[in-house]
Amino acid sequence: MSTPSPSSSSEEEDEDAGVDEFEAPSHSRQRFNSSVWPEPFLEALATQIAINAAQSFGRLAVAPALANIFQVCRTWRSISQSAPLWQSLTRRIWHRYHLLHPTWQHEYIYRHRTARNFRSRRYTYTTLNFPPNNNNEPLTCCRLALSDHHIAAGFSDGSVRLFHLPTGLHVTTFHPHQRNHLGIYSRAVCGMFFADNRLVFASLDGDIHVASIDVPGAPRRAHLGDVVTDGVLVDFTGSDRWWVGLYAGVPNRSFHVRNSTTEELVFIGGTLTDPDAVDGWHLLTDLTGHIGRIRITHDDLAVGFTSRRVIVFDLTNQIILAEEEFRRGINVGAADAYDKALVFVNSRGVANVRHVPSLEEICRFMARGSLLGCINGGYSFISVGGGIRVWELDHGEYLYILRERIGDASAMICDERYAAACSSDNAIHLWDFGARL
């Protein structure tokens, strides 16, 4: 692991004034006696104002809006110490459902300051080097996955390397169960995600494995893929409730949805990738193409992308909520969805930010030359010309380019704290925007 190098914006403005109001009491702005207003009403009012601010101006606008509420008078100020209020706001605004900090108020403040760091390019940069494989053959990183404490990298030989984020140390390498190959890249990792203390990953041949993070041992094969029957598994993702695979190669079998608890198949169907059947088969011998992407949002909705079509699929009821076809092709590698937004870049280099599930346009920006991309709740990271450029998603404002140039990325991911990418230099490039409280 390389030595971390801090990077920060040259701006000296106080970007956390709204948050600081939550911690430093002030009695200079008392206006009227509102002691007759019940506390639950004030909490509900504060929550609604926060939601309105987030929807109208973005999540960073919530803190100053709340600060104005808390300054009305001493009674209104007192609700700033309400643990249920901060728990509700942290879940609604930042989609955090468990604590990493002492209180929900501290958790909210940390999330706000971290989001400000994303906007102002304040981060710590490190690289995590891959341990060599047994044959010392070159590896291509195909997928990345992030959790609060770990990052996993999935490779073209089917192996998955797990790293501990706080220390940057390599923890272990998972190897899938071996069987006959149909194509030299049939074992290549096509998708993975963390769920509780497990890492779930899948390969192009349709095999799905589950590995324990806490208990050493070989991964368990949860499903044996059947390429001839189902086609090639081009992308795979999941959540606490669902596992979703996107297949290409066999008609009317684009989506495979599994219950994450029982691991049983609950739905097979869809025609999203039917026009890409031939390209799907080619992935078994050539990894350079991107056929389709599948993502799950916080509302149990799946967003599917191909080069010509985007759909939003209700996983609970197995119905399509919205879909759109495009005359100009979509760069599937730069398509992503997170929370209430999705992003895709068309053949002219125009990035569209759409609302999930309606597909209503939020904004657009220019991202010519894009190769890969990913988004979190407020920002878009797109690999362009060997560097990674960042836009905000509320208005499509271009913010900056990360200082470190890594060449053409083969895999990218970001969440509400980290951004990570792999290229041909056998390392994970990791940018940590986490606030230091």
Side-chain angles (χ1 to χ4, degrees):
M1 181 182 71
S2 67
T3 303
S5 59
S7 178
S8 62
S9 171
S10 60
E11 298 178 3
E12 299 297 333
E13 61 184 6
D14 181 8
E15 297 174 336
D16 299 309
V19 171
D20 291 339
E21 294 286 354
F22 304 156
E23 301 176 296
S26 171
H27 307 297
S28 61
R29 297 182 63 184
Q30 185 169 334
R31 297 175 182 175
F32 59 86
N33 183 0
S34 61
S35 59
V36 296
W37 292 47
E39 185 172 290
F41 173 83
L42 296 181
E43 290 183 5
L45 176 63
T47 300
Q48 189 58 52
I49 288 175
I51 293 172
N52 292 343
Q55 292 175 343
S56 299
F57 306 107
R59 299 177 302 175
L60 292 177
V62 173
L66 289 175
N68 288 335
I69 289 290
F70 298 153
Q71 291 297 322
V72 169
C73 69
R74 183 173 303 172
T75 301
W76 288 43
R77 178 79 181 186
S78 67
I79 68 168
S80 68
Q81 305 303 315
S82 167
L85 172 65
W86 289 113
Q87 181 178 15
S88 175
L89 291 177
T90 303
R91 290 178 172 181
R92 289 178 178 237
I93 305 302
W94 303 109
H95 301 289
R96 294 294 304 185
Y97 296 91
H98 62 275
L99 285 173
L100 291 180
H101 297 89
T103 68
W104 286 107
Q105 183 177 4
H106 284 92
E107 192 72 34
Y108 187 97
I109 292 172
Y110 173 84
R111 297 296 157 187
H112 173 91
R113 288 177 173 169
T114 297
R116 290 294 303 191
N117 288 347
F118 272 101
R119 183 171 182 86
S120 57
R121 198 169 58 173
R122 294 178 177 174
Y123 59 77
T124 298
Y125 169 75
T126 58
T127 57
L128 311 177
N129 297 316
F130 307 151
N133 64 357
N134 294 333
N135 300 322
N136 289 320
E137 295 176 353
L139 290 176
T140 299
C141 180
C142 302
R143 294 291 190 274
L144 293 167
L146 279 166
S147 72
D148 289 330
H149 304 293
H150 295 90
I151 184 169
F155 294 89
S156 54
D157 67 346
S159 65
V160 174
R161 285 157 171 77
L162 182 70
F163 294 83
H164 185 235
L165 283 171
T167 62
L169 296 177
H170 173 244
V171 177
T172 189
T173 298
F174 300 113
H175 294 280
H177 291 258
Q178 295 300 317
R179 64 187 180 105
N180 294 332
H181 300 303
L182 182 63
I184 60 174
Y185 292 121
S186 62
R187 307 301 296 151
V189 176
C190 65
M192 58 184 176
F193 61 93
F194 289 94
D196 296 325
N197 63 339
R198 303 181 303 167
L199 175 66
V200 185
F201 61 97
S203 51
L204 289 174
D205 60 10
D207 282 7
I208 301 174
H209 285 82
V210 179
S212 173
I213 303 301
D214 301 327
V215 181
R220 171 178 60 88
R221 182 158 58 194
H223 173 67
L224 179 65
D226 186 347
V227 177
V228 175
T229 301
D230 298 322
V232 177
L233 180 52
V234 299
D235 201 16
F236 175 74
T237 190
S239 66
D240 291 337
R241 294 187 61 188
W242 312 103
W243 298 356
V244 184
L246 183 65
Y247 291 75
V250 177
N252 301 310
R253 299 179 73 87
S254 295
F255 294 103
H256 289 214
V257 181
R258 294 179 178 273
N259 181 298
S260 66
T261 301
T262 65
E263 301 177 4
E264 294 179 352
L265 194 64
V266 297
F267 177 81
I268 295 180
T271 62
L272 178 64
T273 58
D274 284 5
D276 304 293
V278 174
D279 291 334
W281 291 111
H282 284 169
L283 284 180
L284 297 175
T285 57
D286 182 2
L287 286 177
T288 58
H290 296 281
I291 307 304
R293 284 285 170 89
I294 187 72
R295 297 290 185 266
I296 295 178
T297 70
H298 290 290
D299 294 325
D300 292 331
L301 305 180
V303 180
F305 302 90
T306 64
S307 61
R308 295 286 180 181
R309 192 175 168 201
V310 176
I311 73 166
V312 180
F313 184 75
D314 184 335
L315 293 169
T316 302
N317 301 302
Q318 289 96 46
I319 59 173
I320 294 177
L321 299 180
E323 62 180 314
E324 188 169 343
E325 294 190 12
F326 303 93
R327 291 187 298 106
R328 300 188 180 93
I330 293 174
N331 178 359
V332 177
D336 199 8
Y338 187 98
D339 191 20
K340 299 291 186 181
L342 63 86
V343 174
F344 59 85
V345 182
N346 67 23
S347 58
R348 291 190 173 183
V350 178
N352 277 258
V353 183
R354 301 290 185 93
H355 183 265
V356 177
S358 67
L359 293 182
E360 178 184 358
E361 184 174 290
I362 298 173
C363 64
R364 60 176 60 188
F365 54 87
M366 293 302 302
R368 289 192 178 96
S370 60
L371 297 174
L372 290 178
C374 57
I375 65 173
N376 61 18
Y379 305 95
S380 174
F381 289 73
I382 297 180
S383 172
V384 181
I388 297 178
R389 299 179 182 272
V390 183
W391 288 262
E392 61 87 30
L393 296 179
D394 292 318
H395 305 96
E397 177 188 359
Y398 172 72
L399 298 179
Y400 52 82
I401 185 172
L402 296 177
R403 293 184 174 89
E404 297 76 20
R405 298 182 65 84
I406 67 169
D408 293 341
S410 62
M412 287 182 62
I413 194 171
C414 62
D415 64 9
E416 300 288 41
R417 174 171 176 174
Y418 297 97
C422 288
S423 56
S424 60
D425 57 359
N426 295 324
I428 300 173
H429 300 265
L430 184 68
W431 296 270
D432 181 0
F433 293 83
R436 306 299 192 262
L437 294 182

